[in-house]
Short mmCIF file of all heavy atoms in Angstrom, two decimals:
data_model
loop_
_atom_site.label_atom_id
_atom_site.label_comp_id
_atom_site.label_asym_id
_atom_site.label_seq_id
_atom_site.Cartn_x
_atom_site.Cartn_y
_atom_site.Cartn_z
N ASN A 252 26.82 57.78 -56.81
CA ASN A 252 25.51 57.42 -56.50
C ASN A 252 25.37 55.92 -56.64
O ASN A 252 25.70 55.19 -57.56
CB ASN A 252 24.54 58.12 -57.56
CG ASN A 252 23.18 57.93 -57.18
OD1 ASN A 252 22.65 56.75 -57.31
ND2 ASN A 252 22.43 58.83 -56.85
N ILE A 253 24.79 55.37 -55.54
CA ILE A 253 24.57 53.83 -55.59
C ILE A 253 23.13 53.46 -55.73
O ILE A 253 22.83 52.50 -56.29
CB ILE A 253 25.26 53.20 -54.33
CG1 ILE A 253 25.93 51.88 -54.62
CG2 ILE A 253 24.32 52.97 -53.18
CD1 ILE A 253 26.72 51.36 -53.46
N LEU A 254 22.28 54.24 -55.06
CA LEU A 254 20.88 53.97 -55.06
C LEU A 254 20.10 55.22 -55.45
O LEU A 254 20.36 56.21 -54.86
CB LEU A 254 20.28 53.50 -53.68
CG LEU A 254 18.84 53.05 -53.76
CD1 LEU A 254 18.73 51.63 -54.30
CD2 LEU A 254 18.32 53.10 -52.30
N GLN A 255 19.18 55.06 -56.42
CA GLN A 255 18.44 56.21 -56.94
C GLN A 255 16.93 55.82 -56.91
O GLN A 255 16.64 54.94 -57.68
CB GLN A 255 18.93 56.61 -58.29
CG GLN A 255 18.49 57.98 -58.81
CD GLN A 255 19.22 58.29 -60.11
OE1 GLN A 255 18.87 57.56 -61.07
NE2 GLN A 255 19.99 59.29 -60.12
N VAL A 256 16.18 56.42 -56.05
CA VAL A 256 14.76 56.14 -55.99
C VAL A 256 13.92 57.16 -56.54
O VAL A 256 14.14 58.40 -56.05
CB VAL A 256 14.27 55.82 -54.50
CG1 VAL A 256 12.81 55.42 -54.43
CG2 VAL A 256 15.24 54.64 -53.97
N ARG A 257 13.12 56.97 -57.58
CA ARG A 257 12.32 58.08 -58.12
C ARG A 257 10.86 57.70 -58.26
O ARG A 257 10.54 56.53 -58.77
CB ARG A 257 12.84 58.29 -59.54
CG ARG A 257 14.21 58.92 -59.65
CD ARG A 257 14.21 60.37 -59.16
NE ARG A 257 15.56 60.93 -59.07
CZ ARG A 257 16.39 60.79 -58.09
NH1 ARG A 257 16.00 60.19 -56.97
NH2 ARG A 257 17.66 61.41 -58.12
N ASN A 258 9.97 58.52 -57.71
CA ASN A 258 8.64 58.37 -57.84
C ASN A 258 8.13 56.98 -57.43
O ASN A 258 7.24 56.40 -58.02
CB ASN A 258 8.09 58.69 -59.24
CG ASN A 258 8.40 60.12 -59.62
OD1 ASN A 258 8.31 61.00 -58.82
ND2 ASN A 258 8.98 60.22 -60.81
N LEU A 259 8.77 56.47 -56.34
CA LEU A 259 8.34 55.07 -55.96
C LEU A 259 7.07 55.10 -55.34
O LEU A 259 6.76 55.80 -54.34
CB LEU A 259 9.45 54.58 -54.98
CG LEU A 259 9.15 53.20 -54.32
CD1 LEU A 259 9.18 51.99 -55.34
CD2 LEU A 259 10.15 52.95 -53.25
N GLU A 260 6.20 54.20 -55.89
CA GLU A 260 4.86 53.95 -55.26
C GLU A 260 4.72 52.55 -54.90
O GLU A 260 5.39 51.62 -55.56
CB GLU A 260 3.78 54.43 -56.27
CG GLU A 260 3.72 55.82 -56.67
CD GLU A 260 2.54 56.08 -57.56
OE1 GLU A 260 1.45 55.90 -57.14
OE2 GLU A 260 2.80 56.56 -58.74
N ALA A 261 3.93 52.23 -53.82
CA ALA A 261 3.78 50.84 -53.41
C ALA A 261 2.40 50.62 -52.86
O ALA A 261 1.87 51.55 -52.32
CB ALA A 261 4.82 50.40 -52.41
N TRP A 262 1.96 49.46 -53.04
CA TRP A 262 0.58 49.03 -52.51
C TRP A 262 0.65 47.78 -51.71
O TRP A 262 1.40 46.80 -52.09
CB TRP A 262 -0.35 48.83 -53.71
CG TRP A 262 -0.66 49.99 -54.52
CD1 TRP A 262 -1.90 50.71 -54.45
CD2 TRP A 262 0.11 50.64 -55.58
NE1 TRP A 262 -1.82 51.69 -55.40
CE2 TRP A 262 -0.71 51.67 -56.13
CE3 TRP A 262 1.27 50.31 -56.12
CZ2 TRP A 262 -0.26 52.44 -57.16
CZ3 TRP A 262 1.79 51.20 -57.23
CH2 TRP A 262 0.99 52.26 -57.59
N TYR A 263 -0.19 47.67 -50.65
CA TYR A 263 -0.45 46.39 -50.04
C TYR A 263 -1.91 46.11 -50.51
O TYR A 263 -2.85 46.68 -50.00
CB TYR A 263 -0.49 46.37 -48.59
CG TYR A 263 0.94 46.57 -47.89
CD1 TYR A 263 1.27 47.72 -47.28
CD2 TYR A 263 1.83 45.54 -47.98
CE1 TYR A 263 2.61 47.74 -46.72
CE2 TYR A 263 3.12 45.63 -47.43
CZ TYR A 263 3.48 46.75 -46.74
OH TYR A 263 4.68 46.81 -46.19
N GLY A 264 -1.93 45.18 -51.39
CA GLY A 264 -3.30 44.78 -51.97
C GLY A 264 -3.84 46.02 -52.58
O GLY A 264 -3.36 46.73 -53.52
N GLU A 265 -4.99 46.55 -52.05
CA GLU A 265 -5.63 47.77 -52.55
C GLU A 265 -5.16 49.09 -51.94
O GLU A 265 -5.38 50.14 -52.39
CB GLU A 265 -7.18 47.66 -52.46
CG GLU A 265 -7.81 46.64 -53.37
CD GLU A 265 -7.44 46.79 -54.85
OE1 GLU A 265 -7.64 47.93 -55.38
OE2 GLU A 265 -6.96 45.86 -55.49
N SER A 266 -4.52 48.89 -50.77
CA SER A 266 -4.21 50.13 -50.06
C SER A 266 -2.84 50.72 -50.50
O SER A 266 -1.77 50.13 -50.56
CB SER A 266 -4.16 49.98 -48.57
OG SER A 266 -3.49 48.79 -48.18
N HIS A 267 -2.93 51.90 -51.01
CA HIS A 267 -1.80 52.67 -51.57
C HIS A 267 -0.97 53.29 -50.45
O HIS A 267 -1.50 54.18 -49.80
CB HIS A 267 -2.39 53.79 -52.50
CG HIS A 267 -1.42 54.39 -53.49
ND1 HIS A 267 -1.89 55.17 -54.37
CD2 HIS A 267 -0.15 54.23 -53.62
CE1 HIS A 267 -0.77 55.61 -55.17
NE2 HIS A 267 0.33 54.94 -54.65
N ILE A 268 0.24 52.82 -50.28
CA ILE A 268 1.02 53.21 -49.13
C ILE A 268 2.14 54.26 -49.55
O ILE A 268 2.20 55.25 -48.80
CB ILE A 268 1.77 51.95 -48.46
CG1 ILE A 268 0.65 50.94 -48.14
CG2 ILE A 268 2.44 52.44 -47.29
CD1 ILE A 268 -0.34 51.32 -47.14
N LEU A 269 2.87 53.96 -50.52
CA LEU A 269 3.91 54.94 -51.01
C LEU A 269 3.41 55.74 -52.15
O LEU A 269 2.95 55.25 -53.08
CB LEU A 269 5.21 54.27 -51.30
CG LEU A 269 5.87 53.38 -50.22
CD1 LEU A 269 7.24 52.91 -50.74
CD2 LEU A 269 6.01 54.20 -48.92
N HIS A 270 3.55 57.12 -52.03
CA HIS A 270 2.86 57.97 -52.99
C HIS A 270 3.99 58.78 -53.78
O HIS A 270 3.85 59.99 -54.01
CB HIS A 270 1.92 58.97 -52.41
CG HIS A 270 0.83 58.29 -51.66
ND1 HIS A 270 -0.39 57.98 -52.25
CD2 HIS A 270 0.81 57.95 -50.40
CE1 HIS A 270 -1.16 57.34 -51.40
NE2 HIS A 270 -0.45 57.34 -50.22
N GLY A 271 5.06 58.13 -54.23
CA GLY A 271 6.07 58.88 -54.99
C GLY A 271 7.19 59.24 -54.00
O GLY A 271 7.34 60.39 -53.62
N ILE A 272 8.04 58.28 -53.75
CA ILE A 272 9.25 58.54 -52.90
C ILE A 272 10.49 58.88 -53.77
O ILE A 272 10.71 58.23 -54.89
CB ILE A 272 9.56 57.21 -52.01
CG1 ILE A 272 8.38 56.95 -51.03
CG2 ILE A 272 10.88 57.32 -51.39
CD1 ILE A 272 8.70 57.44 -49.62
N ASN A 273 11.17 59.82 -53.38
CA ASN A 273 12.44 60.28 -54.17
C ASN A 273 13.55 60.38 -53.15
O ASN A 273 13.52 61.19 -52.27
CB ASN A 273 12.27 61.57 -54.86
CG ASN A 273 11.16 61.46 -55.95
OD1 ASN A 273 11.31 60.81 -56.94
ND2 ASN A 273 10.04 62.10 -55.65
N PHE A 274 14.63 59.67 -53.35
CA PHE A 274 15.88 59.94 -52.62
C PHE A 274 17.02 59.26 -53.20
O PHE A 274 16.85 58.35 -54.14
CB PHE A 274 15.72 59.64 -51.13
CG PHE A 274 15.66 58.21 -50.79
CD1 PHE A 274 16.73 57.53 -50.42
CD2 PHE A 274 14.41 57.49 -50.86
CE1 PHE A 274 16.72 56.07 -50.12
CE2 PHE A 274 14.33 56.16 -50.57
CZ PHE A 274 15.44 55.49 -50.10
N ASP A 275 18.19 59.52 -52.73
CA ASP A 275 19.41 58.96 -53.25
C ASP A 275 20.38 58.46 -52.16
O ASP A 275 20.25 59.06 -51.10
CB ASP A 275 20.33 59.95 -54.04
CG ASP A 275 19.62 60.34 -55.36
OD1 ASP A 275 18.66 61.12 -55.27
OD2 ASP A 275 19.99 59.84 -56.41
N VAL A 276 21.13 57.54 -52.33
CA VAL A 276 22.18 57.06 -51.46
C VAL A 276 23.52 56.93 -52.21
O VAL A 276 23.44 56.46 -53.35
CB VAL A 276 21.78 55.73 -50.76
CG1 VAL A 276 22.92 55.34 -49.82
CG2 VAL A 276 20.43 55.80 -50.06
N ASN A 277 24.48 57.47 -51.70
CA ASN A 277 25.82 57.41 -52.35
C ASN A 277 26.70 56.45 -51.65
O ASN A 277 26.54 56.14 -50.42
CB ASN A 277 26.44 58.82 -52.24
CG ASN A 277 25.57 59.81 -53.06
OD1 ASN A 277 25.36 59.67 -54.21
ND2 ASN A 277 25.04 60.77 -52.29
N ALA A 278 27.72 55.92 -52.41
CA ALA A 278 28.57 54.95 -51.91
C ALA A 278 29.23 55.40 -50.65
O ALA A 278 29.77 56.46 -50.60
CB ALA A 278 29.57 54.55 -52.98
N GLY A 279 29.24 54.54 -49.65
CA GLY A 279 29.94 54.82 -48.38
C GLY A 279 29.15 55.60 -47.39
O GLY A 279 29.70 55.86 -46.30
N GLU A 280 27.97 56.04 -47.74
CA GLU A 280 27.17 56.79 -46.79
C GLU A 280 26.36 55.97 -45.86
O GLU A 280 25.98 54.91 -46.19
CB GLU A 280 26.17 57.64 -47.59
CG GLU A 280 26.64 58.96 -48.23
CD GLU A 280 25.41 59.70 -48.70
OE1 GLU A 280 24.65 59.12 -49.50
OE2 GLU A 280 25.43 60.96 -48.42
N VAL A 281 26.06 56.64 -44.72
CA VAL A 281 24.96 56.11 -43.85
C VAL A 281 23.77 57.08 -43.96
O VAL A 281 23.89 58.23 -43.64
CB VAL A 281 25.38 55.96 -42.40
CG1 VAL A 281 24.16 55.46 -41.55
CG2 VAL A 281 26.46 55.04 -42.28
N VAL A 282 22.69 56.66 -44.58
CA VAL A 282 21.50 57.60 -44.77
C VAL A 282 20.34 57.06 -43.98
O VAL A 282 20.13 55.76 -43.88
CB VAL A 282 21.07 57.56 -46.31
CG1 VAL A 282 19.75 58.29 -46.42
CG2 VAL A 282 22.19 58.27 -47.15
N THR A 283 19.71 57.86 -43.19
CA THR A 283 18.64 57.53 -42.26
C THR A 283 17.33 57.96 -42.71
O THR A 283 17.22 59.21 -43.10
CB THR A 283 18.93 58.04 -40.96
OG1 THR A 283 20.22 57.52 -40.50
CG2 THR A 283 17.97 57.56 -39.95
N LEU A 284 16.36 57.07 -42.78
CA LEU A 284 15.02 57.50 -43.01
C LEU A 284 14.34 57.74 -41.66
O LEU A 284 14.32 56.73 -40.86
CB LEU A 284 14.21 56.45 -43.82
CG LEU A 284 14.71 56.06 -45.14
CD1 LEU A 284 13.79 55.03 -45.84
CD2 LEU A 284 14.80 57.33 -46.03
N LEU A 285 13.77 58.98 -41.42
CA LEU A 285 13.08 59.14 -40.24
C LEU A 285 11.56 59.31 -40.56
O LEU A 285 11.25 59.60 -41.65
CB LEU A 285 13.57 60.54 -39.62
CG LEU A 285 15.02 60.62 -39.21
CD1 LEU A 285 15.40 62.03 -38.93
CD2 LEU A 285 15.33 59.72 -38.02
N GLY A 286 10.74 59.15 -39.53
CA GLY A 286 9.31 59.37 -39.70
C GLY A 286 8.49 58.71 -38.65
O GLY A 286 9.02 57.80 -38.02
N ARG A 287 7.29 59.12 -38.50
CA ARG A 287 6.37 58.64 -37.57
C ARG A 287 6.06 57.23 -37.84
O ARG A 287 6.19 56.63 -38.97
CB ARG A 287 5.12 59.41 -37.53
CG ARG A 287 5.32 60.91 -37.11
CD ARG A 287 3.93 61.48 -36.81
NE ARG A 287 4.12 62.96 -36.61
CZ ARG A 287 3.29 63.70 -35.97
NH1 ARG A 287 2.17 63.11 -35.55
NH2 ARG A 287 3.54 64.98 -35.81
N ASN A 288 5.38 56.54 -36.87
CA ASN A 288 4.86 55.20 -37.11
C ASN A 288 3.82 55.23 -38.27
O ASN A 288 3.05 56.10 -38.34
CB ASN A 288 4.10 54.69 -35.85
CG ASN A 288 5.07 54.43 -34.65
OD1 ASN A 288 5.07 55.11 -33.71
ND2 ASN A 288 5.85 53.45 -34.79
N GLY A 289 4.03 54.18 -39.15
CA GLY A 289 3.12 54.05 -40.24
C GLY A 289 3.35 55.08 -41.31
O GLY A 289 2.60 55.12 -42.30
N ALA A 290 4.49 55.76 -41.34
CA ALA A 290 4.80 56.78 -42.36
C ALA A 290 5.11 56.12 -43.70
O ALA A 290 4.95 56.65 -44.81
CB ALA A 290 5.97 57.58 -41.94
N GLY A 291 5.73 54.86 -43.63
CA GLY A 291 6.05 54.10 -44.78
C GLY A 291 7.54 53.90 -44.96
O GLY A 291 8.01 53.54 -46.08
N LYS A 292 8.18 53.92 -43.83
CA LYS A 292 9.68 53.63 -43.93
C LYS A 292 10.00 52.16 -44.20
O LYS A 292 10.77 51.86 -45.12
CB LYS A 292 10.29 54.04 -42.50
CG LYS A 292 9.98 55.41 -42.05
CD LYS A 292 10.64 55.79 -40.74
CE LYS A 292 10.10 54.88 -39.53
NZ LYS A 292 8.72 55.10 -39.20
N THR A 293 9.39 51.25 -43.48
CA THR A 293 9.61 49.90 -43.75
C THR A 293 9.22 49.52 -45.09
O THR A 293 9.82 48.78 -45.86
CB THR A 293 8.75 49.03 -42.63
OG1 THR A 293 9.29 49.38 -41.40
CG2 THR A 293 8.93 47.54 -42.99
N THR A 294 8.00 50.09 -45.53
CA THR A 294 7.42 49.78 -46.86
C THR A 294 8.49 50.25 -47.90
O THR A 294 8.65 49.56 -48.92
CB THR A 294 6.16 50.49 -47.10
OG1 THR A 294 5.33 50.13 -45.94
CG2 THR A 294 5.48 50.04 -48.40
N THR A 295 9.20 51.32 -47.61
CA THR A 295 10.19 51.80 -48.59
C THR A 295 11.38 50.80 -48.73
O THR A 295 11.80 50.41 -49.76
CB THR A 295 10.80 53.20 -48.15
OG1 THR A 295 9.71 54.07 -48.06
CG2 THR A 295 11.78 53.69 -49.19
#
Side-chain angles (χ1 to χ4, degrees):
Chain A
N252 187 294
I253 217 172
L254 184 82
Q255 196 176 60
V256 179
R257 290 291 175 273
N258 301 317
L259 174 65
E260 297 184 59
W262 291 260
Y263 287 111
E265 291 304 305
S266 45
H267 195 171
I268 305 293
L269 300 186
H270 303 270
I272 293 261
N273 296 291
F274 71 96
D275 292 78
V276 180
N277 299 296
E280 276 189 310
V281 177
V282 170
T283 301
L284 301 181
L285 301 167
R287 296 189 188 203
N288 291 110
K292 307 180 296 294
T293 298
T294 308
T295 304

